[in-house]
Amino acid sequence: MLNLKQIKAISLDLDDTLWPIWPTIDRAEQVLHEWLASNAPLTAAMYASPQALREIRDAVGRERPDLAHDMTALRRESIRLALSNAGEDPQLAGAAFEVFFAERHNVSFYPDALPALEFLAARYPLVSISNGNADVSRLEVAPLFVASVSALKVGVSKPDPRIFRVAAEAVGVQPHEVLHVGDDAVLDVLGARDAGMQAVWINREQKPWPHTEKRHPEYADLSELVAALLSA
C-alpha cells in the first residue's frame, strides 16, 4: 500500500513507461538510414539493416565504457565509425545524429500516459529520471515537468540510488517524499526503493514479479495508478 501522506513529488521513467521505446527507435533508425542513403550512400549500403547499425553501436559500447552513461555520444560515435568504415566523411556524423535524434523524440504516447500526466502534474511536481537520452524539453509534455534527471547529467544510471536522490533534490524534497513510477522491476522499483523512495511498478505486459525482494504496488498502466490515487 502507498503512504500517500508522505508523497510530495512524483518521479517518472520515460521509455516504456510513457511510450514504447522500440517502435520509436525503429522509426529513428529508418529515418537515419534514409538520410545516409542520400548523403552517405556507401555507409547506407554497408549498414543496410537496422541490426547492422545496432551491432556497430553495441561494439562501440564495448570499446568505449566511458560512454556508458551518454547514449547521445555513443550513438554519434557509432555513426562516425560506420562512416569511417565505409570510407566516407566521419564529420557527417553530427548531422546524421541530429536526424536520428529528432525522430527519436517523435514518440507515440501510450493512450493512458497524457491524461495521467495531466492528473499527476496538477497535484505534484513531476521529475523525469532516465538512463537514456530522451529530452523532456523536446516533448509536448515538457510544461508538466518541473525537472528532468538523466544518467548523462548525474554520471550514474538507474538503479544506482544516487540518480534518484538527485531527482528528489531537483524538486526540493527528501527521497522518502517521492513516489517513483517506472516499468523496470530492477532499474525503477528496486532502485527507487534502495534510494528510500516509494515505488510503483507499471507492468503493462503482466510479467511475474522476478525478484525475491518484497514486491511493490503494481498497475497495468498509468490509468490504474490514477484510479488508485483517487480512491485512496
Side-chain angles (χ1 to χ4, degrees), residues 88-104:
E88 294 185 303
D89 185 359
Q91 292 188 8
L92 291 172
F97 172 77
E98 289 304 321
V99 169
F100 170 88
F101 201 49
E103 188 63 25
R104 189 258 189 273

mmCIF file with all atom_site columns, all heavy atoms in Angstrom, residues 88-104:
data_model
loop_
_atom_site.group_PDB
_atom_site.id
_atom_site.type_symbol
_atom_site.label_atom_id
_atom_site.label_alt_id
_atom_site.label_comp_id
_atom_site.label_asym_id
_atom_site.label_entity_id
_atom_site.label_seq_id
_atom_site.pdbx_PDB_ins_code
_atom_site.Cartn_x
_atom_site.Cartn_y
_atom_site.Cartn_z
_atom_site.occupancy
_atom_site.B_iso_or_equiv
_atom_site.pdbx_formal_charge
_atom_site.auth_seq_id
_atom_site.auth_comp_id
_atom_site.auth_asym_id
_atom_site.auth_atom_id
_atom_site.pdbx_PDB_model_num
ATOM 1   N N   . GLU A 1 88  ? 33.751 7.108  -45.917 1.00 0.00 ? 88  GLU A N   1
ATOM 2   C CA  . GLU A 1 88  ? 33.093 8.398  -46.127 1.00 0.00 ? 88  GLU A CA  1
ATOM 3   C C   . GLU A 1 88  ? 33.454 9.357  -44.988 1.00 0.00 ? 88  GLU A C   1
ATOM 4   O O   . GLU A 1 88  ? 34.115 8.992  -44.022 1.00 0.00 ? 88  GLU A O   1
ATOM 5   C CB  . GLU A 1 88  ? 31.583 8.207  -46.261 1.00 0.00 ? 88  GLU A CB  1
ATOM 6   C CG  . GLU A 1 88  ? 31.248 7.423  -47.537 1.00 0.00 ? 88  GLU A CG  1
ATOM 7   C CD  . GLU A 1 88  ? 29.762 7.292  -47.799 1.00 0.00 ? 88  GLU A CD  1
ATOM 8   O OE1 . GLU A 1 88  ? 29.050 6.780  -46.917 1.00 0.00 ? 88  GLU A OE1 1
ATOM 9   O OE2 . GLU A 1 88  ? 29.330 7.673  -48.900 1.00 0.00 ? 88  GLU A OE2 1
ATOM 10  N N   . ASP A 1 89  ? 33.028 10.584 -45.125 1.00 0.00 ? 89  ASP A N   1
ATOM 11  C CA  . ASP A 1 89  ? 33.442 11.659 -44.226 1.00 0.00 ? 89  ASP A CA  1
ATOM 12  C C   . ASP A 1 89  ? 32.849 11.469 -42.824 1.00 0.00 ? 89  ASP A C   1
ATOM 13  O O   . ASP A 1 89  ? 31.633 11.598 -42.637 1.00 0.00 ? 89  ASP A O   1
ATOM 14  C CB  . ASP A 1 89  ? 32.982 12.997 -44.799 1.00 0.00 ? 89  ASP A CB  1
ATOM 15  C CG  . ASP A 1 89  ? 33.475 14.181 -43.979 1.00 0.00 ? 89  ASP A CG  1
ATOM 16  O OD1 . ASP A 1 89  ? 34.161 13.965 -42.958 1.00 0.00 ? 89  ASP A OD1 1
ATOM 17  O OD2 . ASP A 1 89  ? 33.172 15.324 -44.383 1.00 0.00 ? 89  ASP A OD2 1
ATOM 18  N N   . PRO A 1 90  ? 33.670 11.190 -41.811 1.00 0.00 ? 90  PRO A N   1
ATOM 19  C CA  . PRO A 1 90  ? 33.136 10.997 -40.449 1.00 0.00 ? 90  PRO A CA  1
ATOM 20  C C   . PRO A 1 90  ? 32.525 12.260 -39.861 1.00 0.00 ? 90  PRO A C   1
ATOM 21  O O   . PRO A 1 90  ? 31.766 12.178 -38.895 1.00 0.00 ? 90  PRO A O   1
ATOM 22  C CB  . PRO A 1 90  ? 34.368 10.542 -39.657 1.00 0.00 ? 90  PRO A CB  1
ATOM 23  C CG  . PRO A 1 90  ? 35.538 11.032 -40.428 1.00 0.00 ? 90  PRO A CG  1
ATOM 24  C CD  . PRO A 1 90  ? 35.125 10.993 -41.865 1.00 0.00 ? 90  PRO A CD  1
ATOM 25  N N   . GLN A 1 91  ? 32.844 13.415 -40.456 1.00 0.00 ? 91  GLN A N   1
ATOM 26  C CA  . GLN A 1 91  ? 32.263 14.654 -39.942 1.00 0.00 ? 91  GLN A CA  1
ATOM 27  C C   . GLN A 1 91  ? 30.764 14.766 -40.238 1.00 0.00 ? 91  GLN A C   1
ATOM 28  O O   . GLN A 1 91  ? 30.085 15.631 -39.689 1.00 0.00 ? 91  GLN A O   1
ATOM 29  C CB  . GLN A 1 91  ? 33.005 15.850 -40.529 1.00 0.00 ? 91  GLN A CB  1
ATOM 30  C CG  . GLN A 1 91  ? 34.444 15.959 -40.031 1.00 0.00 ? 91  GLN A CG  1
ATOM 31  C CD  . GLN A 1 91  ? 35.110 17.260 -40.463 1.00 0.00 ? 91  GLN A CD  1
ATOM 32  O OE1 . GLN A 1 91  ? 34.456 18.151 -41.004 1.00 0.00 ? 91  GLN A OE1 1
ATOM 33  N NE2 . GLN A 1 91  ? 36.399 17.352 -40.233 1.00 0.00 ? 91  GLN A NE2 1
ATOM 34  N N   . LEU A 1 92  ? 30.261 13.875 -41.081 1.00 0.00 ? 92  LEU A N   1
ATOM 35  C CA  . LEU A 1 92  ? 28.815 13.829 -41.320 1.00 0.00 ? 92  LEU A CA  1
ATOM 36  C C   . LEU A 1 92  ? 28.049 13.264 -40.130 1.00 0.00 ? 92  LEU A C   1
ATOM 37  O O   . LEU A 1 92  ? 26.816 13.345 -40.085 1.00 0.00 ? 92  LEU A O   1
ATOM 38  C CB  . LEU A 1 92  ? 28.514 12.974 -42.551 1.00 0.00 ? 92  LEU A CB  1
ATOM 39  C CG  . LEU A 1 92  ? 28.946 13.535 -43.919 1.00 0.00 ? 92  LEU A CG  1
ATOM 40  C CD1 . LEU A 1 92  ? 28.764 12.478 -44.998 1.00 0.00 ? 92  LEU A CD1 1
ATOM 41  C CD2 . LEU A 1 92  ? 28.148 14.794 -44.240 1.00 0.00 ? 92  LEU A CD2 1
ATOM 42  N N   . ALA A 1 93  ? 28.769 12.706 -39.167 1.00 0.00 ? 93  ALA A N   1
ATOM 43  C CA  . ALA A 1 93  ? 28.110 12.044 -38.036 1.00 0.00 ? 93  ALA A CA  1
ATOM 44  C C   . ALA A 1 93  ? 27.215 12.993 -37.252 1.00 0.00 ? 93  ALA A C   1
ATOM 45  O O   . ALA A 1 93  ? 26.149 12.605 -36.778 1.00 0.00 ? 93  ALA A O   1
ATOM 46  C CB  . ALA A 1 93  ? 29.157 11.415 -37.113 1.00 0.00 ? 93  ALA A CB  1
ATOM 47  N N   . GLY A 1 94  ? 27.646 14.245 -37.101 1.00 0.00 ? 94  GLY A N   1
ATOM 48  C CA  . GLY A 1 94  ? 26.838 15.195 -36.345 1.00 0.00 ? 94  GLY A CA  1
ATOM 49  C C   . GLY A 1 94  ? 25.487 15.436 -36.976 1.00 0.00 ? 94  GLY A C   1
ATOM 50  O O   . GLY A 1 94  ? 24.442 15.361 -36.298 1.00 0.00 ? 94  GLY A O   1
ATOM 51  N N   . ALA A 1 95  ? 25.471 15.707 -38.262 1.00 0.00 ? 95  ALA A N   1
ATOM 52  C CA  . ALA A 1 95  ? 24.206 15.943 -38.963 1.00 0.00 ? 95  ALA A CA  1
ATOM 53  C C   . ALA A 1 95  ? 23.349 14.691 -38.992 1.00 0.00 ? 95  ALA A C   1
ATOM 54  O O   . ALA A 1 95  ? 22.121 14.754 -38.842 1.00 0.00 ? 95  ALA A O   1
ATOM 55  C CB  . ALA A 1 95  ? 24.485 16.430 -40.383 1.00 0.00 ? 95  ALA A CB  1
ATOM 56  N N   . ALA A 1 96  ? 23.986 13.544 -39.191 1.00 0.00 ? 96  ALA A N   1
ATOM 57  C CA  . ALA A 1 96  ? 23.242 12.287 -39.220 1.00 0.00 ? 96  ALA A CA  1
ATOM 58  C C   . ALA A 1 96  ? 22.587 12.011 -37.866 1.00 0.00 ? 96  ALA A C   1
ATOM 59  O O   . ALA A 1 96  ? 21.419 11.594 -37.797 1.00 0.00 ? 96  ALA A O   1
ATOM 60  C CB  . ALA A 1 96  ? 24.182 11.134 -39.594 1.00 0.00 ? 96  ALA A CB  1
ATOM 61  N N   . PHE A 1 97  ? 23.341 12.275 -36.798 1.00 0.00 ? 97  PHE A N   1
ATOM 62  C CA  . PHE A 1 97  ? 22.771 12.037 -35.477 1.00 0.00 ? 97  PHE A CA  1
ATOM 63  C C   . PHE A 1 97  ? 21.572 12.943 -35.221 1.00 0.00 ? 97  PHE A C   1
ATOM 64  O O   . PHE A 1 97  ? 20.576 12.516 -34.631 1.00 0.00 ? 97  PHE A O   1
ATOM 65  C CB  . PHE A 1 97  ? 23.812 12.250 -34.380 1.00 0.00 ? 97  PHE A CB  1
ATOM 66  C CG  . PHE A 1 97  ? 23.201 12.196 -33.004 1.00 0.00 ? 97  PHE A CG  1
ATOM 67  C CD1 . PHE A 1 97  ? 22.872 10.982 -32.441 1.00 0.00 ? 97  PHE A CD1 1
ATOM 68  C CD2 . PHE A 1 97  ? 22.900 13.365 -32.314 1.00 0.00 ? 97  PHE A CD2 1
ATOM 69  C CE1 . PHE A 1 97  ? 22.258 10.925 -31.191 1.00 0.00 ? 97  PHE A CE1 1
ATOM 70  C CE2 . PHE A 1 97  ? 22.290 13.316 -31.072 1.00 0.00 ? 97  PHE A CE2 1
ATOM 71  C CZ  . PHE A 1 97  ? 21.975 12.096 -30.505 1.00 0.00 ? 97  PHE A CZ  1
ATOM 72  N N   . GLU A 1 98  ? 21.642 14.196 -35.635 1.00 0.00 ? 98  GLU A N   1
ATOM 73  C CA  . GLU A 1 98  ? 20.533 15.107 -35.389 1.00 0.00 ? 98  GLU A CA  1
ATOM 74  C C   . GLU A 1 98  ? 19.260 14.629 -36.066 1.00 0.00 ? 98  GLU A C   1
ATOM 75  O O   . GLU A 1 98  ? 18.157 14.808 -35.540 1.00 0.00 ? 98  GLU A O   1
ATOM 76  C CB  . GLU A 1 98  ? 20.897 16.523 -35.846 1.00 0.00 ? 98  GLU A CB  1
ATOM 77  C CG  . GLU A 1 98  ? 21.923 17.198 -34.960 1.00 0.00 ? 98  GLU A CG  1
ATOM 78  C CD  . GLU A 1 98  ? 21.502 17.257 -33.500 1.00 0.00 ? 98  GLU A CD  1
ATOM 79  O OE1 . GLU A 1 98  ? 20.299 17.484 -33.231 1.00 0.00 ? 98  GLU A OE1 1
ATOM 80  O OE2 . GLU A 1 98  ? 22.373 17.075 -32.621 1.00 0.00 ? 98  GLU A OE2 1
ATOM 81  N N   . VAL A 1 99  ? 19.398 14.015 -37.244 1.00 0.00 ? 99  VAL A N   1
ATOM 82  C CA  . VAL A 1 99  ? 18.236 13.437 -37.922 1.00 0.00 ? 99  VAL A CA  1
ATOM 83  C C   . VAL A 1 99  ? 17.652 12.307 -37.080 1.00 0.00 ? 99  VAL A C   1
ATOM 84  O O   . VAL A 1 99  ? 16.433 12.223 -36.870 1.00 0.00 ? 99  VAL A O   1
ATOM 85  C CB  . VAL A 1 99  ? 18.637 12.929 -39.320 1.00 0.00 ? 99  VAL A CB  1
ATOM 86  C CG1 . VAL A 1 99  ? 17.520 12.094 -39.937 1.00 0.00 ? 99  VAL A CG1 1
ATOM 87  C CG2 . VAL A 1 99  ? 18.986 14.105 -40.226 1.00 0.00 ? 99  VAL A CG2 1
ATOM 88  N N   . PHE A 1 100 ? 18.521 11.427 -36.591 1.00 0.00 ? 100 PHE A N   1
ATOM 89  C CA  . PHE A 1 100 ? 18.088 10.329 -35.723 1.00 0.00 ? 100 PHE A CA  1
ATOM 90  C C   . PHE A 1 100 ? 17.432 10.868 -34.453 1.00 0.00 ? 100 PHE A C   1
ATOM 91  O O   . PHE A 1 100 ? 16.365 10.416 -34.038 1.00 0.00 ? 100 PHE A O   1
ATOM 92  C CB  . PHE A 1 100 ? 19.290 9.456  -35.364 1.00 0.00 ? 100 PHE A CB  1
ATOM 93  C CG  . PHE A 1 100 ? 19.008 8.434  -34.289 1.00 0.00 ? 100 PHE A CG  1
ATOM 94  C CD1 . PHE A 1 100 ? 18.512 7.194  -34.621 1.00 0.00 ? 100 PHE A CD1 1
ATOM 95  C CD2 . PHE A 1 100 ? 19.229 8.739  -32.949 1.00 0.00 ? 100 PHE A CD2 1
ATOM 96  C CE1 . PHE A 1 100 ? 18.236 6.261  -33.623 1.00 0.00 ? 100 PHE A CE1 1
ATOM 97  C CE2 . PHE A 1 100 ? 18.956 7.821  -31.958 1.00 0.00 ? 100 PHE A CE2 1
ATOM 98  C CZ  . PHE A 1 100 ? 18.456 6.569  -32.296 1.00 0.00 ? 100 PHE A CZ  1
ATOM 99  N N   . PHE A 1 101 ? 18.085 11.852 -33.831 1.00 0.00 ? 101 PHE A N   1
ATOM 100 C CA  . PHE A 1 101 ? 17.644 12.343 -32.532 1.00 0.00 ? 101 PHE A CA  1
ATOM 101 C C   . PHE A 1 101 ? 16.281 13.028 -32.622 1.00 0.00 ? 101 PHE A C   1
ATOM 102 O O   . PHE A 1 101 ? 15.445 12.897 -31.725 1.00 0.00 ? 101 PHE A O   1
ATOM 103 C CB  . PHE A 1 101 ? 18.688 13.312 -31.985 1.00 0.00 ? 101 PHE A CB  1
ATOM 104 C CG  . PHE A 1 101 ? 18.633 13.504 -30.500 1.00 0.00 ? 101 PHE A CG  1
ATOM 105 C CD1 . PHE A 1 101 ? 18.576 12.423 -29.640 1.00 0.00 ? 101 PHE A CD1 1
ATOM 106 C CD2 . PHE A 1 101 ? 18.663 14.783 -29.962 1.00 0.00 ? 101 PHE A CD2 1
ATOM 107 C CE1 . PHE A 1 101 ? 18.534 12.607 -28.261 1.00 0.00 ? 101 PHE A CE1 1
ATOM 108 C CE2 . PHE A 1 101 ? 18.629 14.982 -28.583 1.00 0.00 ? 101 PHE A CE2 1
ATOM 109 C CZ  . PHE A 1 101 ? 18.566 13.887 -27.734 1.00 0.00 ? 101 PHE A CZ  1
ATOM 110 N N   . ALA A 1 102 ? 16.049 13.749 -33.705 1.00 0.00 ? 102 ALA A N   1
ATOM 111 C CA  . ALA A 1 102 ? 14.751 14.396 -33.880 1.00 0.00 ? 102 ALA A CA  1
ATOM 112 C C   . ALA A 1 102 ? 13.637 13.351 -33.957 1.00 0.00 ? 102 ALA A C   1
ATOM 113 O O   . ALA A 1 102 ? 12.576 13.503 -33.326 1.00 0.00 ? 102 ALA A O   1
ATOM 114 C CB  . ALA A 1 102 ? 14.765 15.266 -35.127 1.00 0.00 ? 102 ALA A CB  1
ATOM 115 N N   . GLU A 1 103 ? 13.875 12.292 -34.714 1.00 0.00 ? 103 GLU A N   1
ATOM 116 C CA  . GLU A 1 103 ? 12.856 11.248 -34.837 1.00 0.00 ? 103 GLU A CA  1
ATOM 117 C C   . GLU A 1 103 ? 12.738 10.445 -33.549 1.00 0.00 ? 103 GLU A C   1
ATOM 118 O O   . GLU A 1 103 ? 11.656 9.946  -33.222 1.00 0.00 ? 103 GLU A O   1
ATOM 119 C CB  . GLU A 1 103 ? 13.190 10.321 -36.006 1.00 0.00 ? 103 GLU A CB  1
ATOM 120 C CG  . GLU A 1 103 ? 12.102 9.320  -36.338 1.00 0.00 ? 103 GLU A CG  1
ATOM 121 C CD  . GLU A 1 103 ? 10.801 9.976  -36.793 1.00 0.00 ? 103 GLU A CD  1
ATOM 122 O OE1 . GLU A 1 103 ? 10.842 11.120 -37.302 1.00 0.00 ? 103 GLU A OE1 1
ATOM 123 O OE2 . GLU A 1 103 ? 9.737  9.344  -36.638 1.00 0.00 ? 103 GLU A OE2 1
ATOM 124 N N   . ARG A 1 104 ? 13.822 10.330 -32.800 1.00 0.00 ? 104 ARG A N   1
ATOM 125 C CA  . ARG A 1 104 ? 13.793 9.624  -31.516 1.00 0.00 ? 104 ARG A CA  1
ATOM 126 C C   . ARG A 1 104 ? 12.802 10.307 -30.557 1.00 0.00 ? 104 ARG A C   1
ATOM 127 O O   . ARG A 1 104 ? 12.262 9.684  -29.641 1.00 0.00 ? 104 ARG A O   1
ATOM 128 C CB  . ARG A 1 104 ? 15.203 9.617  -30.915 1.00 0.00 ? 104 ARG A CB  1
ATOM 129 C CG  . ARG A 1 104 ? 15.363 8.724  -29.680 1.00 0.00 ? 104 ARG A CG  1
ATOM 130 C CD  . ARG A 1 104 ? 15.367 9.543  -28.427 1.00 0.00 ? 104 ARG A CD  1
ATOM 131 N NE  . ARG A 1 104 ? 15.719 8.739  -27.256 1.00 0.00 ? 104 ARG A NE  1
ATOM 132 C CZ  . ARG A 1 104 ? 14.841 8.041  -26.535 1.00 0.00 ? 104 ARG A CZ  1
ATOM 133 N NH1 . ARG A 1 104 ? 13.564 8.023  -26.857 1.00 0.00 ? 104 ARG A NH1 1
ATOM 134 N NH2 . ARG A 1 104 ? 15.243 7.338  -25.477 1.00 0.00 ? 104 ARG A NH2 1
#
